Amino acid sequence: MIMSSNSYRESLEKLRRKVYIQGAAVADPMAHPLVRPSTNAVAQTFALERQEQYKELIFARSHLSGRPINRFTHIHRSTEDLMNKVRLQRLLGQRTGTCFQRCVGLDALNALEITTFEMEQDLGIPYHHRFNKFLQQVQDENAVCGGAMTDPKGDRSKRPHEQADPDLYLRITGENSEGITVRGAKCHQTGALNSQYIIVMPTLAMREEDKDYAVSFAVQADAPGLLYILGRQPSDTRKQEIHRADIGNRDFGGQESLIIFDDLFVPWERVFICREHRYTGRLVERFAGYHRQSYGGCKAGVGDVLIGAAAALAELQGVDKAAHIRDKLVEMVHLNETLFCCGIACSARGRASSSGAYLIDLLLANVCKLNVTRFPYEIARLAEDIAGGLMATMPSLADLEHPQLGPLLRKYFQGIAGVESTCRLKMLRLVENLTLGPAAAAYLTESMHGAGSPQAQRVVIARQADLAHKKMLARRLAGLEGESS
Ligand code: SF4
Ligand code: FE
């Protein structure tokens, strides 16, 4: 069943969830102004299905059923699939100018597909069989999955079992013939309120003494025992204002929530890791690798919007011919395309895993994400430079409609002659949205910490760097072969 944007929204409305926003229980979160723009962004992943020119990008063929499915539910079967994922993410970043949230679930599905295959091979427990049944359902329903990895972590110097409060990492609290119960929390969960299923994974490689924390499973988003608390974003209450132009991006936004698991019951058929701690490290590394690849697509797409806004402002303000402005725009494009190059490169160098699913090149995916922790900040800095200070000081666009103020604002904020000053002001609001407003959470802070903070990428890069090989190359050319060094 392929959903339309509307039936997707209706399916979310049917979920009976415990949701809190700004200190109040909200029965219908989908109607809330802080949530609606984020649902609109996810809905774009359905809207693309209706557009002929994007069919090749948005649809893939299921390896389970052979049927066409939305790529956000697909297990990658080739390097072409991996590259198409990044191209699709760039397209959606361009269309929404924010985080469209559906990639975390996709990355969780792919990481679990490979890991449960290995577990079933090694242990004889039908984890892969269970996972495939869940995957089939996700593909048939064209469901949106949230991927929940990050635990609160408490005292970072301590392992999960050493924490003063044992719930600071999500853990198994009980088990019977029907399933398991879990308790804990997952922080800053992208798109949680827009998801029909929540897929939980451990946050780090667990050891024997932490085996109660070695757990992975999927649940319906309205399973009893789940509690959602919406996270805030910079200037998010602008979304509640009547005059929507002041938001900067009228239609789309991102969303993160804290999810609390209060002795949630999970039936065995949805449990994918239960105390097998040896498999947690590879699951985490694969999920992180896929999501670090993802950023080479989505952040480049949002970067396209920001570069476009800066270029448009340069024109509207009459500085587009200035050499230093052109140079800054070229610099922004260079940085942005470097991110995309990394996303494509780690995909092009992907390989088939033992299950047949394609995995990205881990070293290049981590290089991709480490660049993402820096380049969007520099692109944003250059955009602010070109935009000028008015972006942060101009009056509300509501004032434009005031009978006395409107003409004054139009007169004094006029840029080049012949173009309504409103165009300039709206474009400034968009740059504000992307660099200081709600979308900065997605374009900047998420670039830093999403899919792991920079140090996590450095650890993988150090492990994958093969310095011994590089030293051998140097020794050979220096005529030191056979010498100890
Ligand atoms: Fe997708 Fe990017 Fe949002 Fe992650 S940050 S969910 S990759 S759009
Ligand atoms: Fe993310």
Side-chain angles (χ1 to χ4, degrees):
M1 179 201 67
I2 301 292
M3 278 190 279
S4 67
S5 309
N6 285 341
S7 63
Y8 162 61
R9 283 195 184 85
E10 284 162 17
S11 78
L12 290 176
E13 281 161 14
K14 285 193 196 121
L15 295 172
R16 291 286 154 253
R17 295 173 291 185
K18 254 204 220 166
V19 177
Y20 280 78
I21 301 176
Q22 295 175 311
V26 176
D28 181 11
M30 310 330 296
H32 197 285
L34 293 190
V35 176
R36 202 183 305 114
S38 73
T39 315
N40 291 346
V42 181
Q44 284 296 304
T45 69
F46 295 95
L48 284 185
E49 293 176 5
R50 312 261 151 171
Q51 293 178 288
E52 200 51 48
Q53 68 270 40
Y54 300 126
K55 288 223 155 116
E56 211 179 305
L57 217 46
I58 191 69
F59 286 115
R61 197 160 290 282
S62 166
H63 74 292
L64 294 178
S65 67
R67 286 199 300 271
I69 51 168
N70 188 299
R71 191 173 292 284
F72 281 98
T73 66
H74 182 51
I75 301 299
H76 316 297
R77 310 305 292 174
S78 63
T79 53
E80 195 62 30
D81 268 349
L82 288 169
M83 287 189 282
N84 277 338
K85 171 194 169 194
V86 174
R87 290 170 59 215
L88 175 61
Q89 288 167 317
R90 185 167 188 174
L91 174 69
L92 283 159
Q94 291 170 344
R95 285 169 70 110
T96 60
T98 188
C99 167
F100 41 88
Q101 307 146 57
R102 205 172 171 184
C103 329
V104 252
L106 169 66
D107 293 338
L109 289 173
N110 275 271
L112 272 167
E113 201 274 348
I114 301 170
T115 308
T116 55
F117 178 86
E118 292 171 348
M119 292 178 74
E120 186 160 330
Q121 293 274 304
D122 296 352
L123 310 171
I125 306 171
Y127 281 123
H128 195 56
H129 180 77
R130 282 179 199 167
F131 172 78
N132 275 341
K133 271 180 77 178
F134 172 63
L135 176 67
Q136 180 83 63
Q137 191 170 348
V138 168
Q139 293 184 342
D140 289 349
E141 294 172 3
N142 196 1
V144 174
C145 299
M149 179 168 272
T150 309
D151 290 295
K153 299 197 196 88
D155 179 343
R156 310 292 166 105
S157 70
K158 293 186 163 38
R159 300 287 308 172
H161 75 281
E162 295 168 337
Q163 299 287 331
D165 180 341
D167 299 337
L168 290 174
Y169 286 76
L170 188 136
R171 66 191 177 115
I172 301 169
T173 51
E175 176 182 333
N176 62 26
S177 59
E178 308 288 309
I180 59 173
T181 50
V182 297
R183 189 187 306 149
K186 293 288 182 182
C187 302
H188 27 83
Q189 291 306 303
T190 298
L193 293 179
N194 292 322
S195 302
Q196 288 134 331
Y197 295 99
I198 304 292
I199 303 172
V200 168
M201 297 162 285
T203 203
L204 46 78
M206 298 296 170
R207 300 180 190 152
E208 170 74 30
E209 57 273 28
D210 291 321
K211 65 180 188 318
D212 282 345
Y213 297 87
V215 61
S216 176
F217 57 87
V219 279
Q220 288 243 129
D222 61 352
L226 286 180
L227 168 66
Y228 300 82
I229 307 171
L230 183 73
R232 298 218 57 172
Q233 293 177 333
S235 307
D236 53 2
T237 45
R238 290 229 191 143
K239 296 176 194 172
Q240 293 172 302
E241 292 174 12
I242 296 162
H243 202 85
R244 297 181 52 76
D246 270 334
I247 309 171
N249 181 340
R250 295 167 63 95
D251 297 319
F252 302 113
Q255 178 216 109
E256 298 82 26
S257 296
L258 172 70
I259 312 180
I260 294 175
F261 301 73
D262 184 15
D263 285 332
L264 168 81
F265 174 73
V266 188
W268 283 116
E269 61 181 17
R270 291 279 167 81
V271 177
F272 308 133
I273 294 183
C274 180
R275 300 196 176 88
E276 294 88 356
H277 61 92
R278 284 191 187 82
Y279 294 86
T280 53
R282 59 184 96 172
L283 176 64
V284 171
E285 184 171 84
R286 285 166 184 155
F287 171 76
Y290 279 126
H291 209 54
R292 291 167 193 175
Q293 168 212 24
S294 290
Y295 281 26
C298 78
K299 302 302 177 209
V302 178
D304 288 327
V305 176
L306 185 53
I307 295 167
L313 274 172
E315 271 174 33
L316 292 165
Q317 299 178 155
V319 292
D320 54 313
K321 305 281 185 309
H324 73 101
I325 297 286
R326 289 178 175 205
D327 203 41
K328 280 165 190 159
L329 288 168
V330 168
E331 178 68 13
M332 292 163 85
V333 171
H334 169 237
L335 292 168
N336 202 46
E337 295 301 333
T338 303
L339 302 181
F340 186 58
C341 289
C342 291
I344 291 294
C346 69
S347 307
R349 288 183 58 94
R351 280 166 179 247
S353 66
S354 52
S355 76
Y358 266 64
L359 190 62
I360 32 65
D361 180 291
L362 276 181
L363 174 60
L364 296 186
N366 279 275
V367 169
C368 177
K369 172 68 209 320
L370 196 55
N371 283 337
V372 168
T373 65
R374 299 173 182 162
F375 295 179
Y377 286 87
E378 181 61 8
I379 294 169
R381 189 185 72 79
L382 291 166
E384 286 196 35
D385 180 346
I386 294 171
L390 187 58
M391 166 188 119
T393 62
M394 68 179 172
S396 166
L397 296 190
D399 294 324
L400 285 167
E401 284 159 22
H402 189 276
Q404 278 91 46
L405 304 181
L408 287 171
L409 292 183
R410 276 191 276 276
K411 171 182 163 72
Y412 287 111
F413 289 142
Q414 180 66 45
I416 52 170
V419 183
E420 260 285 319
S421 51
T422 322
C423 301
R424 179 185 176 209
L425 299 177
K426 285 188 173 171
M427 202 56 84
L428 284 164
R429 279 283 181 249
L430 177 60
V431 176
E432 184 197 24
N433 171 280
L434 286 160
T435 59
L436 302 170
Y443 187 57
L444 299 179
T445 314
E446 195 177 25
S447 289
M448 180 69 79
H449 293 295
S453 306
Q455 187 56 22
Q457 286 106 67
R458 288 179 181 280
V459 168
V460 181
I461 289 171
R463 208 180 320 128
Q464 301 270 329
D466 199 356
L467 289 181
H469 175 67
K470 295 184 200 316
K471 281 200 286 186
M472 181 276 290
L473 296 174
R475 272 206 300 270
R476 196 165 63 198
L477 289 180
L480 293 173
E481 256 173 324
E483 309 276 332
S484 59
S485 66

